[in-house]
């Protein structure tokens, strides 16, 4: 008997025209490292008395469908997750194309995502998936991945795929070696690590339904936060924190073949950190920064992806 193995798992994604309704085609094969996307329905214990010490049968509660998907930061497939986070991009060029995603949209697209384990067989289609949060880290070495947190409407399980034959993209993966950080247009030195988290802070529409599913997931006030850990070499960042000023931070990755991903945070505010001397090693400072809407640019952040994909 065949047993499920993660090495044989597969994932396909397509954007929906109608929330909660999987499209009949147009799926794309997505690279991923792991997935906790799933649906669960807990049981409620019976509170009734008068039937002895043994409890009565439990009843089903509402369905919750959500989870995290860990994906690589790459030149093509990552654009689907950026569209899920920010909405449709503005695309320019004639190949390579430049896709610019901007924060602030009140309308986010929903997706249908199918995860498959062919050897069982089990194919689970998650409809009405909306991206709640995406985050990643920058460091000197290691594998570069992002974690996308999703809220879905429901799960439908079958023994055959509903995604047809998904389109496969060319995997051109960014690495930590390709990354750089700038502050107000100048290279920011002495950075040990950085973390970026963008959240749509979805509001689940939990109406009364016979199937126990939600009616939707609406974005509320977004949040963009992160952390920068630096070797303490000068007072630039501390002075900015004390003065309560904002700066522009840009996190960029560029491949030798020309593909690039640039995430620009237009107004970053830094807290005043505690500078500790914990021993004879170098002194490090950690800044848990927050972003806000920049009054000049008119938004909080911009994500720019340059690749060979014409449209998302």
């Amino acid at each position: 008997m065949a047993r499920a193995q993660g090495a044989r798992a597969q994932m396909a994604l397509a954007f929906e025209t109608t929330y909660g309704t999987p499209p009949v085609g147009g799926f794309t094969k997505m690279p991923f490292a792991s997935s906790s996307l799933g649906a669960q329905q807990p049981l409620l214990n019976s509170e009734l008395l008068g039937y002895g010490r043994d409890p009565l049968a439990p009843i089903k509660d509402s369905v919750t469908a959500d989870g995290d998907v860990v994906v690589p930061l790459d030149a093509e497939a990552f654009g689907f997750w950026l569209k899920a986070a920010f909405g449709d991009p503005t695309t320019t060029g004639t190949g390579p194309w430049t896709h610019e995603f901007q924060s602030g949209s009140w309308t986010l697209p929903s997706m249908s995502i199918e995860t498959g384990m062919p050897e069982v067989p089990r194919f689970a289609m998650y409809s009405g998936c909306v991206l709640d949060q995406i985050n990643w880290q920058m460091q000197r070495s290691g594998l570069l991945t992002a974690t996308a947190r999703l809220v879905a409407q429901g799960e439908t399980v079958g023994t055959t795929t509903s995604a047809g034959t998904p389109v496969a993209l060319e995997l051109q993966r960014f690495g930590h070696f390709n990354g750089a950080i700038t502050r107000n247009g100048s290279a920011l030195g002495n950075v040990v690590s950085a973390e970026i988290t963008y959240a749509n802070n979805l509001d689940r529409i939990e109406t009364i339904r016979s199937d126990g599913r939600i009616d939707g997931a609406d974005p509320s006030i977004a949040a963009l936060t992160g952390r920068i850990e630096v070797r303490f070499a000068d007072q630039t960042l501390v002075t900015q924190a004390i003065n309560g000023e904002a700066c522009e931070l840009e996190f960029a990755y560029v491949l030798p073949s020309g593909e690039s991903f640039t995430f620009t945070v237009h107004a970053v505010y830094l807290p005043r950190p505690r500078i500790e001397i914990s021993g004879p090693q170098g002194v490090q400072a950690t800044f848990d920064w927050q972003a806000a809407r920049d009054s000049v640019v008119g938004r909080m952040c911009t994500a720019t992806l340059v690749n060979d994909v014409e449209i998302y």
Side-chain angles (χ1 to χ4, degrees):
M1 182 179 66
R3 295 177 175 84
Q5 291 184 327
R8 297 187 62 185
Q10 55 194 36
M11 176 179 291
L13 178 152
F15 289 100
E16 300 172 345
T17 303
T18 303
Y19 174 80
T21 303
V24 295
F27 281 82
T28 302
K29 184 178 181 180
M30 302 299 294
F32 72 107
S34 64
S35 173
S36 64
L37 187 60
Q40 59 183 6
Q41 187 174 22
L43 298 175
L44 298 176
N45 294 330
S46 175
E47 83 286 18
L48 300 180
L49 305 177
Y51 294 89
R53 291 185 59 239
D54 294 334
L56 298 178
I59 61 173
K60 294 181 179 180
D61 202 0
S62 59
V63 178
T64 300
D66 53 20
D68 295 345
V69 179
V70 178
V71 299
L73 264 72
D74 72 304
E76 295 188 359
F78 195 60
F80 289 89
W81 301 109
L82 292 176
K83 178 178 177 178
F86 300 106
D88 291 324
T90 299
T91 301
T92 57
T94 57
W97 286 270
T98 300
H99 310 277
E100 185 178 277
F101 304 83
Q102 299 181 1
S103 63
S105 175
W106 283 103
T107 303
L108 297 178
S110 62
M111 305 171 288
S112 289
I113 299 176
E114 184 185 78
T115 58
M117 292 177 281
E119 68 277 9
V120 175
R122 182 184 191 271
F123 294 88
M125 178 68 75
Y126 301 96
S127 56
C129 295
V130 183
L131 192 142
D132 186 29
Q133 177 180 294
I134 188 167
N135 70 82
W136 70 93
Q137 294 182 344
M138 298 184 73
Q139 55 194 28
R140 187 174 183 271
S141 62
L143 295 173
L144 177 58
T145 59
T147 300
R149 181 170 301 167
L150 303 171
V151 173
Q153 185 186 45
E155 174 191 64
T156 302
V157 179
T159 57
T160 59
T161 180
S162 300
T165 303
V167 177
L169 299 175
E170 182 180 356
L171 182 60
Q172 295 176 291
R173 191 171 183 177
F174 296 110
H176 289 294
F177 180 76
N178 308 116
I181 303 175
T182 60
R183 175 184 179 274
N184 292 335
S186 301
L188 182 61
N190 300 297
V191 179
V192 178
S193 64
E195 183 177 344
I196 304 99
T197 301
Y198 179 82
N200 282 310
N201 292 320
L202 297 178
D203 179 23
R204 301 182 192 224
I205 312 303
E206 297 178 330
T207 57
I208 299 174
R209 294 171 52 121
S210 59
D211 57 8
R213 298 183 175 186
I214 62 174
D215 257 350
D218 294 341
S220 60
I221 300 298
L224 180 53
T225 59
R227 172 176 295 186
I228 296 179
E229 188 173 354
V230 299
R231 282 278 185 168
F232 192 61
D234 57 56
Q235 296 272 25
T236 302
L237 297 180
V238 175
T239 300
Q240 176 190 330
I242 294 175
N243 294 337
E245 300 171 343
C247 72
E248 182 181 84
L249 290 181
E250 183 179 278
F251 308 90
Y253 303 89
V254 181
L255 293 178
S257 53
E259 294 79 6
S260 66
F261 169 55
T262 304
F263 190 76
T264 305
V265 188
H266 299 292
V268 174
Y269 293 86
L270 304 175
R272 183 170 178 171
R274 183 193 302 271
I275 308 298
E276 296 183 357
I277 304 174
S278 57
Q281 293 81 14
V283 177
Q284 295 185 176
T286 300
F287 296 86
D288 293 314
W289 54 267
Q290 299 180 24
R293 179 182 182 273
D294 182 82
S295 58
V296 177
V297 181
R299 57 184 177 275
M300 182 165 59
C301 64
T302 303
T304 305
L305 188 63
V306 179
N307 57 26
D308 291 328
V309 177
E310 185 174 359
I311 189 171
Y312 281 102

